[in-house]
Amino acid sequence: VFGPELLWNGPLWRTAITFATAAIALVLLAGAVERHAVWCASWWARTLLAAAALLMITPDLRLTALGAALAALAIGADRVRAYTGAR
């Protein structure tokens, strides 16, 4: 993880967003690696969740948004799969 915002260089709003998204990304990555059933149960959803976390760790806001969308897709698709009972 590298970015000038993580070293408290830059505008305060960008530093706050970078810290928040990096923290969320680390929680998502831990959920994907630990196979936590609350987040995602299937292997493909955990893979998408890990990819989303890696995108969100970067200090670029566009990649962070893409990672957040990918995480929402992974969690939502896995919830639909669990709700319908599909394997």
Side-chain angles (χ1 to χ4, degrees), residues 4-81:
E5 292 85 11
L6 293 175
L7 299 173
W8 293 95
N9 291 333
L12 182 60
W13 67 270
R14 193 166 176 116
T15 301
I17 290 173
T18 302
F19 267 97
T21 57
I24 292 169
L26 290 177
V27 169
L28 291 175
L29 187 60
V33 171
E34 290 293 323
R35 301 175 74 179
H36 200 303
V38 173
W39 289 98
C40 292
S42 61
W43 66 269
W44 56 268
R46 286 192 319 269
T47 303
L48 285 176
L49 200 62
L54 292 176
L55 286 172
M56 287 182 70
I57 288 174
T58 62
D60 185 17
L61 292 178
R62 291 175 296 214
L63 290 177
T64 299
L66 180 63
L70 196 60
L73 175 70
I75 293 171
D78 199 59
R79 291 290 144 228
V80 168
R81 184 197 57 82

